[in-house]
Amino acid sequence: DEASREYGLQLTAFADLARFDGVVLAVAHDEFRAAGWPAIQAHLRETGGVVFDVKGILPRADIPENIKLVRL
């Protein structure tokens, strides 16, 4: 794939990611927009975390309680 050829990177499928303290959404891919908060929350620690939504694709009205949303 392109990331491997151009940059020598191996990408991990979204579904295979671990849980993190924070997530940065820097590109408005249709996959992230369609999956919404439930998919993002599934990759944050049980205690919540911070989401940097650079493109503003996640609805503010639906932010889960334990997540802090930051938009640039």
Side-chain angles (χ1 to χ4, degrees):
D1 87 315
E2 184 179 349
S4 180
R5 282 192 318 273
E6 295 290 324
Y7 307 106
L9 298 174
Q10 290 297 328
L11 301 179
T12 301
F14 186 67
D16 295 335
L17 293 174
R19 290 185 173 259
F20 301 102
D21 293 320
V23 172
V24 177
L25 292 173
V27 180
H29 289 298
D30 290 337
E31 177 184 0
F32 299 136
R33 189 183 310 271
W37 281 109
I40 301 304
Q41 190 172 22
H43 291 292
L44 291 171
R45 298 195 188 281
E46 298 276 336
T47 56
V50 62
V51 174
F52 293 89
D53 185 6
V54 177
K55 297 293 185 175
I57 66 170
L58 297 171
R60 289 180 189 255
D62 300 332
I63 302 170
E65 282 187 31
N66 60 346
I67 295 177
K68 176 177 172 65
L69 175 65
V70 178
R71 290 202 170 148
L72 304 177

